[in-house]
């Protein structure tokens, strides 16, 4: 039996495209492609909006549909030029989906679906406006203090809910988990010093947190 997580992407695709359907191989392939697609979508969309998890997930499914429609015709026509060239093809598909979405909705920010399903009470609008203004202020400040990659890592974690490990697995990030954790730790200290307040986000594993709930540096 093949150890699917250890297989190269080329070997995995070969197993998926055999006449007899291998569900385990397909599950592993889709898992890998979803991570690549989601990373591309987020980096594209964040250029003009703050995408929600729901938005990224929906567009990820749209991208997969393009790859899997008509008996995975796009994947069957694909030819490897080098071992991992499939990822480049998938990134192109995801980028096109993001651009199509951009043209469709324009440049207005993408609001979370919950805001429309469950409208807030009138008094909540003031608090939300203050929060949005603060987030804009934080983002503008980070543009002057951090690299674009560090800023993307911060928002992937604190807006999208990605863990340090998930961020490290996004193709193009090219950083180890401990490096991601250090970036988050550094930025949180920076923001606390500037804005004098707590900045809470999705928690990491307990063993990777300091006593205030933020990632330890260099773990």
């Amino acid at each position: 039996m093949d150890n699917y997580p250890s297989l190269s992407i080329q070997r995995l695709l070969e197993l998926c495209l055999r006449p007899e359907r291998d569900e385990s191989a397909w599950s592993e392939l889709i898992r890998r492609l979803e991570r690549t697609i989601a990373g591309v979508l987020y980096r594209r969309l964040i250029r003009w909006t703050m995408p929600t998890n729901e938005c990224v997930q929906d567009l990820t499914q749209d991208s997969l549909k393009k790859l899997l429609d008509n008996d995975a015709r796009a994947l069957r026509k694909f030819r490897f030029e080098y071992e991992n060239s499939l990822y480049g093809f998938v990134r192109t598909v995801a980028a096109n989906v993001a651009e199509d979405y951009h043209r469709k909705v324009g440049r207005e920010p993408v609001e979370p679906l919950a805001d429309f399903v469950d409208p807030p009470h009138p008094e909540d609008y003031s608090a939300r406006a203050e929060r949005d203004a603060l987030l804009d202020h934080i983002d503008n400040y980070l543009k002057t203090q951090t690299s674009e990659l560090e800023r993307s890592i911060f928002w992937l974690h604190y807006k999208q809910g990605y863990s340090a490990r998930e961020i490290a697995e996004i193709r193009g990030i090219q950083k180890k988990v401990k490096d991601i954790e250090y970036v988050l730790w550094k930025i949180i200290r920076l923001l606390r010093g500037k804005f004098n307040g707590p900045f809470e986000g999705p928690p990491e594993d307990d063993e990777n947190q300091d006593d205030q709930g933020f990632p330890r540096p260099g773990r």
Side-chain angles (χ1 to χ4, degrees):
M1 180 179 293
D2 288 292
N3 183 12
Y4 297 103
S6 68
L7 295 178
S8 70
I9 191 69
Q10 184 170 356
R11 174 57 180 161
L12 191 59
L13 182 60
E14 290 172 355
L15 292 178
C16 289
L17 298 182
R18 291 187 304 185
E20 60 279 13
R21 186 173 178 86
D22 188 329
E23 295 295 342
S24 296
W26 275 107
S27 294
E28 175 63 19
L29 178 68
I30 290 173
R31 184 189 69 82
R32 296 190 199 181
L33 298 186
E34 281 180 334
R35 290 185 178 277
T36 297
I37 290 169
V40 171
L41 290 171
Y42 183 84
R43 288 194 296 273
R44 288 279 178 164
L45 296 177
I46 202 172
R47 297 176 181 178
W48 57 276
T49 187
M50 181 56 69
T52 63
N53 281 325
E54 291 83 3
C55 176
V56 174
Q57 289 168 5
D58 287 346
L59 295 181
T60 296
Q61 295 307 308
D62 289 347
S63 302
L64 285 173
K65 188 174 185 296
K66 288 181 177 294
L67 295 170
L68 302 178
D69 269 357
N70 300 316
D71 192 28
R73 180 181 178 184
L75 294 178
R76 293 182 185 280
K77 292 176 62 178
F78 178 77
R79 295 293 179 267
F80 281 87
E81 297 180 3
Y82 52 91
E83 182 176 350
N84 289 320
S85 57
L86 178 61
Y87 287 116
F89 173 64
V90 170
R91 286 196 293 269
T92 299
V93 171
N96 289 337
V97 168
E99 292 304 316
D100 288 345
Y101 179 75
H102 186 186
R103 287 191 290 269
K104 178 180 178 181
V105 303
R107 301 185 63 85
E108 292 300 318
V110 180
E111 293 292 341
L113 182 61
D115 288 350
F116 299 98
V117 175
D118 185 19
H121 295 293
E123 59 268 26
D124 291 338
Y125 285 107
S126 176
R128 181 189 301 164
E130 292 178 2
R131 179 178 182 274
D132 290 345
L134 176 60
L135 291 179
D136 288 342
H137 191 27
I138 289 172
D139 192 52
N140 289 332
Y141 176 66
L142 291 180
K143 288 178 182 178
T144 70
Q145 301 295 318
T146 65
S147 68
E148 181 178 352
L149 177 58
E150 289 176 335
R151 189 164 59 90
S152 295
I153 288 171
F154 175 80
W155 291 123
L156 276 168
H157 184 65
Y158 286 94
K159 290 289 288 186
Q160 293 300 112
Y162 284 64
S163 70
R165 187 171 301 280
E166 289 172 334
I167 295 172
E169 291 174 352
I170 295 175
R171 293 184 66 83
I173 294 293
Q174 296 182 333
K175 283 184 176 291
K176 297 178 180 178
V177 175
K178 66 178 182 180
D179 297 326
I180 300 296
E181 291 172 348
Y182 179 71
V183 168
L184 295 172
W185 176 87
K186 182 179 70 173
I187 292 180
I188 288 302
R189 267 42 183 192
L190 180 68
L191 294 178
R192 281 177 172 164
K194 172 68 175 180
F195 297 95
N196 193 29
F199 291 87
E200 299 180 356
E204 298 289 337
D205 295 337
D206 290 342
E207 65 185 23
N208 290 329
Q209 292 179 337
D210 63 15
D211 56 2
Q212 293 175 304
F214 291 98
R216 299 182 190 277
R219 285 293 298 270

